[in-house]
Amino acid sequence: MLTSESGGNGLRGSAVGKIAGENAAKSKRFDNTVSMWVFEEMVMGRKLTEIINTDHENVKYLPGYKLPANVIAVPDLLDAARDADILVFAVPHQFIRQTCDELKGHVKPSTIGVSLIKGFDTGLDGLKLASDVIREILGIEVTVLSGACLASEVAAEKFCESTIGNATQSPPTRSKGAADIAHGNVSKELLQTRNFRIRVVEEVDTVEICGALKNVVAVGAGFCDGLGCGDNTKAAVIRLGLMEMIAFARLCCRGSVQRSTFLESCGVADLIASCYGGHNRKIAEAFTVTGKTIAQLEEEMLSRQKLQGPRTAIEINRTLQLHNLVHRFPLFTAVYQICYECKPVSEFILCLQDHPAHQ
């Protein structure tokens, strides 16, 4: 059985569930049924799971796109994950620890995890990758999927690319094995289509951290749009943001961090896509123009789903404070201060003008 988890019934989880269902139905390698965990709620007087299983459409979060009949919405997490050989995690990053705690003891050691999560978990010891939380709590190996693949366009079957970070780096002392390599290839076979092309690379930590950091840069791009700064300024945000992404990855990732990984879809491509589209840019622009809070805009524009960029900025700031390196990441810091410390959005441009890259 395959399980596509879309906690919060998110757009991304449903879009990937659509692909997994279509591929499972055509392949002899996978079981036909894809169980998709759905947080139960009432929509137009009906249970959302009932709508998905009867009408084959997630009318709240992915309206207008039919899900395959073999994708079954399941409201109970343990029922959805029961006997799964592959678990696809698409929950918001702030809920990954709670989700794994519920799954603990109910997942086979041989299960392969595929994380679509773009964010970090933090504690007293600092930043922790979501894939590490999954590994530590569930005791399974995890590959990471990340790239320039906005969920609505994936569902519409528009051509896009993505990157799988293969599960070969955790723990850092372990040598690469054939089973690890196979995990990335199995994940690719499950999720690749003619219009959703995937490359497998070996820097799983770098792939994952790119997916989280680009959301913070996209918030900065949204500020620029709201301020009417123009494309030249946004290009500077993208370049300086990419530099901070690389520096932060080298601070936090295990093993080597190659610049070439940032040229994959998980890196610069996802960064560009997010800075010109996506929720983080749109909400940040509205935040700048309307003066409303992030929480108000989440409720109005995201059906109460939570925006990942500002929350990731909190976790980045905690890590930089821990290492006394706040001054080296002025763009990340400015996004955090504007979102949470009442720094005026109009001062965002200062972090670009005074950036260490210009010295």
Side-chain angles (χ1 to χ4, degrees):
M1 183 179 77
L2 308 173
T3 301
S4 175
E5 283 192 69
S6 58
N9 315 318
L11 174 62
R12 185 173 55 200
S14 295
V16 170
K18 178 177 182 291
I19 292 176
E22 291 168 349
N23 284 349
K26 294 183 292 186
S27 174
K28 295 181 180 180
R29 183 182 182 95
F30 304 115
D31 187 274
N32 182 66
T33 301
V34 175
S35 297
M36 181 169 71
W37 173 42
V38 171
F39 181 81
E40 192 68 280
E41 56 185 307
M42 300 301 292
V43 179
M44 296 178 289
R46 299 170 64 192
K47 292 181 178 180
L48 184 54
T49 54
E50 176 194 340
I51 296 173
I52 293 173
N53 293 334
T54 303
D55 301 340
H56 308 297
E57 182 181 352
N58 189 335
V59 294
K60 183 168 184 179
Y61 297 101
L62 191 62
Y65 298 100
K66 290 294 183 179
L67 297 173
N70 63 326
V71 174
I72 308 300
V74 181
D76 183 87
L77 175 60
L78 297 186
D79 285 344
R82 198 178 312 280
D83 298 323
D85 294 309
I86 300 177
L87 287 169
V88 181
F89 294 85
V91 299
H93 76 269
Q94 61 266 32
F95 301 130
I96 185 57
R97 186 171 291 276
Q98 174 187 336
T99 301
C100 288
D101 284 340
E102 290 185 41
L103 286 170
K104 187 175 182 179
H106 299 277
V107 176
K108 297 183 297 186
S110 60
T111 296
I112 299 172
V114 184
S115 176
L116 279 61
I117 300 169
K118 298 188 175 184
F120 306 123
D121 180 77
T122 53
L124 296 177
D125 298 327
L127 178 148
K128 188 182 289 292
L129 299 177
S131 61
D132 285 338
V133 175
I134 298 169
R135 291 186 188 100
E136 291 175 7
I137 296 177
L138 300 184
I140 63 175
E141 197 47 90
V142 185
T143 62
V144 173
L145 176 74
S146 185
C149 45
L150 299 174
S152 58
E153 296 183 13
V154 172
E157 300 183 9
K158 296 181 179 180
F159 180 81
C160 61
E161 299 176 317
S162 196
T163 310
I164 284 179
N166 211 14
T168 61
Q169 290 187 333
S170 59
T173 56
R174 195 180 77 189
S175 60
K176 186 188 304 182
D180 295 320
I181 296 170
H183 290 168
N185 292 333
V186 169
S187 301
K188 178 177 178 177
E189 184 178 345
L190 172 64
L191 298 175
Q192 180 167 263
T193 70
R194 182 69 176 164
N195 286 315
F196 186 64
R197 309 306 290 176
I198 297 173
R199 262 177 54 86
V200 179
V201 302
E202 301 305 329
E203 287 189 43
V204 61
D205 287 358
T206 306
V207 170
E208 182 169 1
I209 209 168
C210 280
L213 299 179
K214 61 89 182 179
N215 285 331
V216 182
V217 183
V219 172
F223 292 157
C224 286
D225 288 341
L227 293 168
C229 294
D231 286 339
N232 289 340
T233 305
K234 186 185 283 190
V237 170
I238 293 172
R239 188 186 79 86
L240 296 173
L242 180 61
M243 292 180 65
E244 292 194 14
M245 287 170 60
I246 295 171
F248 193 84
R250 289 180 169 166
L251 174 67
C252 296
C253 288
R254 296 161 297 195
S256 63
V257 174
Q258 302 297 323
R259 282 182 178 265
S260 60
T261 304
F262 290 86
L263 298 179
E264 299 288 345
S265 182
C266 64
V268 66
D270 196 11
L271 177 61
I272 293 171
S274 298
C275 287
Y276 280 91
H279 291 152
N280 288 282
R281 189 214 65 78
K282 292 175 184 177
I283 295 292
E285 180 181 21
F287 174 88
T288 304
V289 173
T290 67
K292 295 180 179 179
T293 67
I294 296 293
Q296 288 174 316
L297 294 168
E298 286 173 336
E299 183 167 352
E300 293 177 10
M301 299 174 66
L302 297 181
S303 299
R304 299 183 181 179
Q305 292 185 91
K306 299 302 181 183
L307 198 66
Q308 300 301 296
R311 286 166 177 79
T312 301
I314 295 175
E315 292 142 7
I316 290 172
N317 189 260
R318 288 174 181 166
T319 301
L320 295 178
Q321 294 281 359
L322 187 66
H323 292 276
N324 195 28
L325 291 174
V326 171
H327 63 285
R328 286 181 50 188
F329 296 84
L331 193 153
F332 287 167
T333 301
V335 170
Y336 167 76
Q337 291 174 337
I338 290 169
C339 289
Y340 296 106
E341 294 187 347
C342 299
K343 183 183 179 75
V345 185
S346 58
E347 295 184 12
F348 178 72
I349 195 69
L350 296 177
C351 81
L352 308 178
Q353 296 170 334
D354 300 330
H355 201 281
H358 300 139
Q359 298 175 2

